[in-house]
Amino acid sequence: MLDAMVYQRKPCGSLPPQREQAWLTTKVKSSPLLFSIFLSVARVLGYGSPQQFANRRALLLYNTLCATRADEASAFWREAYALPPTFQSWFTITNLHVWLLSVRLRALPAPHGTQHVQGLIDHFFQDVEERLRAVLQPGVFPPRSSPPNLSSTAENSSYLSPYPYSSFYTTPTPLAPKSTFPSTKAYQEAVKLQKRSRAPEKLITRQMKILKEQWAGMGMSLDLGLVRGDAEMAAAVWRNLLGARGASGIGLDREVNGSGYRRAVNLVGGLVEDVRKVDVDKEELKDDNSGVHDFAPSENDRYIGYPELMVTLVSYIRRESLRLERLDDSVIMGPRRVGREGEGVQNLRWGEIENTVRT
């Protein structure tokens, strides 16, 4: 099953801003005969194949249910879970909801389950790669917060991403338009400086490998929790979403001069080549700039709320997975008609994370 779900790398390409329809599009839609001919040709080209339907449905499911979830519950993730407003935090939150949706998609009858899951994972990682490049290679793509702009200084200024913009984390400020510079030479120097600031392709490839490992690791740990019970699920939540804070104990007697700093170390990530050479105790004391580490002694009281936080998220996962399980397959897959792939997606939106009734 995992082989069918493996991320397939594709070239990089709010929901995207609405484009103004071309003259030909308007003409075809206004004529039933032309529209019928267009659909017939599209089917011959595979546009109406089961895999294509699954890919387009998966895109709308991903954009609506997964990619925007960090923004929708931003206060909860930042305040209750102390996740910093970074791309890594966005990835972790989105990864959780991609898994939650995948659990239901895997239950679809063959071959729809495999096709929908593959489509979802493909869209997830294409979006992740675009976002990663926006952070590490500024100026390659135009900002998602605005429609395509021919005056944009981005190298791919006409590119319109199919994925939504996120305000959960910040990206480098795009280069100002050429007209705002005092001279052409000044503009060219700014372009050169921006290009020199970009991360090399080697780093992008390595980071994508690490993110893929995080996706697989979180998925397997949550799958195990789904089968073994709430205690296992809570442990997966603590490791993956609470940063495994307090794993080495809570140092109540440490000074607030930084000696209490400690973070979890990933021994299977793309940065570790030989685990035997890693001094874990030493690495735990190094700041990796992730923003996720043990609380300082002055904040140790935050650990008191951890059991409740784990109960809250485990309850949310159980509640939402049960809700999706009770929905008919036709509701999940949609009408499977060209132009109607988005029907019913809004009705599948997640409930409130803290909307759990305790007895």
Side-chain angles (χ1 to χ4, degrees):
M1 181 63 179
L2 189 58
D3 290 338
M5 295 167 56
V6 163
Y7 150 56
Q8 294 178 345
R9 191 181 181 89
K10 295 182 178 180
C12 287
S14 87
L15 293 171
Q18 292 293 321
R19 299 175 187 243
E20 182 179 349
Q21 291 190 345
W23 172 86
L24 182 58
T25 303
T26 305
K27 185 70 175 176
V28 170
K29 284 188 172 182
S30 65
S31 170
L33 177 60
L34 289 177
F35 191 60
S36 176
I37 294 173
F38 168 77
L39 292 181
S40 298
V41 173
R43 291 190 188 98
V44 172
L45 296 176
Y47 187 77
S49 67
Q51 184 64 66
Q52 284 293 319
F53 275 124
N55 285 341
R56 294 196 297 277
R57 181 69 172 181
L59 170 62
L60 293 162
L61 289 170
Y62 171 74
N63 281 349
T64 306
L65 304 181
C66 305
T68 56
R69 195 54 176 150
D71 293 80
E72 291 171 351
S74 177
F76 174 81
W77 298 114
R78 293 186 185 187
E79 296 169 14
Y81 266 65
L83 289 179
T86 61
F87 167 75
Q88 176 63 61
S89 295
W90 174 90
F91 175 85
T92 301
I93 297 165
T94 306
N95 192 14
L96 167 66
H97 291 87
V98 165
W99 170 81
L100 194 53
L101 182 57
S102 295
V103 170
R104 180 61 182 88
L105 295 180
R106 290 195 305 237
L108 293 175
H112 301 299
T114 300
Q115 291 171 345
H116 280 74
V117 170
Q118 186 66 71
L120 178 65
I121 301 305
D122 284 348
H123 285 302
F124 177 38
F125 276 99
Q126 183 171 339
D127 184 24
V128 165
E129 182 172 348
E130 284 186 21
R131 292 176 187 271
L132 186 63
R133 290 184 184 279
V135 172
L136 299 181
Q137 295 181 332
V140 173
F141 294 110
R144 289 188 183 181
S145 55
S146 59
N149 184 354
L150 294 180
S151 65
S152 170
T153 57
E155 293 179 5
N156 298 280
S157 58
S158 61
Y159 176 71
L160 179 61
S161 176
Y163 307 109
Y165 164 75
S166 174
S167 60
F168 186 84
Y169 62 96
T170 58
T171 54
T173 304
L175 198 63
K178 185 177 180 180
S179 59
T180 62
F181 285 83
S183 65
T184 301
K185 183 178 180 181
Y187 171 72
Q188 291 173 343
E189 288 297 323
V191 171
K192 289 180 182 178
L193 182 62
Q194 183 186 64
K195 289 183 177 180
R196 285 198 297 269
S197 70
R198 292 175 186 168
E201 281 297 313
K202 182 179 180 181
L203 180 59
I204 299 293
T205 301
R206 185 173 66 178
Q207 282 299 122
M208 289 300 297
K209 178 183 177 183
I210 293 173
L211 293 171
K212 181 184 173 183
E213 289 171 349
Q214 291 178 5
W215 160 72
M218 178 186 280
M220 286 189 284
S221 64
L222 292 173
D223 277 342
L224 190 63
L226 205 60
V227 175
R228 287 191 173 178
D230 289 349
E232 188 73 41
M233 182 69 78
V237 165
W238 172 68
R239 291 193 304 271
N240 291 280
L241 290 140
L242 288 170
R245 293 186 177 99
S248 299
I250 302 173
L252 300 176
D253 56 344
R254 296 178 193 164
E255 298 296 331
V256 194
N257 58 7
S259 60
Y261 177 92
R262 186 176 292 274
R263 67 178 177 89
V265 176
N266 179 15
L267 293 177
V268 296
L271 295 175
V272 179
E273 296 179 357
D274 190 344
V275 176
R276 294 170 298 179
K277 297 181 179 180
V278 177
D279 185 338
V280 177
D281 291 333
K282 184 177 180 179
E283 289 298 319
E284 285 180 340
L285 300 179
K286 289 183 180 180
D287 189 353
D288 63 348
N289 296 313
S290 67
V292 179
H293 48 75
D294 284 7
F295 294 118
S298 60
E299 296 182 291
N300 277 335
D301 59 332
R302 299 193 66 167
Y303 288 113
I304 297 174
Y306 263 34
E308 184 176 358
L309 284 175
M310 287 186 277
V311 168
T312 296
L313 200 56
V314 169
S315 299
Y316 168 73
I317 291 171
R318 294 289 185 187
R319 185 182 71 246
E320 290 302 314
S321 60
L322 180 60
R323 179 179 66 87
L324 292 183
E325 179 186 343
R326 289 172 173 170
L327 295 177
D328 191 79
D329 290 341
S330 61
V331 175
I332 303 296
M333 293 190 294
R336 299 182 64 76
R337 295 287 184 272
V338 175
R340 298 175 58 190
E341 294 88 350
E343 287 188 14
V345 172
Q346 291 293 333
N347 297 330
L348 301 177
R349 296 180 76 92
W350 312 112
E352 294 294 328
I353 298 177
E354 297 179 282
N355 185 28
T356 303
V357 179
R358 298 189 181 90
T359 58

